[in-house]
Amino acid sequence: MALGDAWKQISWFYYQYLLVTALYMLEPWERTIFNSLLISVAGMAVYTGYVFMPQHIMAILHYFEVIE
């Protein structure tokens, strides 16, 4: 029963995503391309943040002399 409730909740969130972004007007193949691009851009942003944020944080800490 919990799995069915979780599936309903995920379906509801996906439906809300389609309504808010107006993707319900697109054909399935267009929606797939849009979602793929969105996931790719989000993935690249997360990767870039993961790779470069520690360097920037260390540079800021050195600049403000928090660490030597």
Side-chain angles (χ1 to χ4, degrees):
M1 195 60 146
L3 188 60
D5 291 338
W7 183 255
K8 283 183 184 179
Q9 189 73 18
I10 291 171
S11 296
W12 185 79
F13 282 132
Y14 182 67
Y15 182 65
Q16 290 297 313
Y17 163 71
L18 291 178
L19 288 175
V20 168
T21 56
L23 290 175
Y24 64 92
M25 294 185 293
L26 300 178
E27 293 185 17
W29 67 271
E30 294 171 325
R31 202 176 308 149
T32 302
I33 290 174
F34 178 83
N35 288 332
S36 299
L37 289 173
L38 182 66
I39 290 172
S40 297
V41 169
M44 287 186 282
V46 168
Y47 173 76
T48 302
Y50 178 75
V51 170
F52 294 110
M53 282 304 287
Q55 296 170 3
H56 291 297
I57 291 171
M58 290 301 291
I60 290 169
L61 292 176
H62 281 293
Y63 179 78
F64 289 114
E65 298 176 354
V66 175
I67 58 174
E68 298 290 327

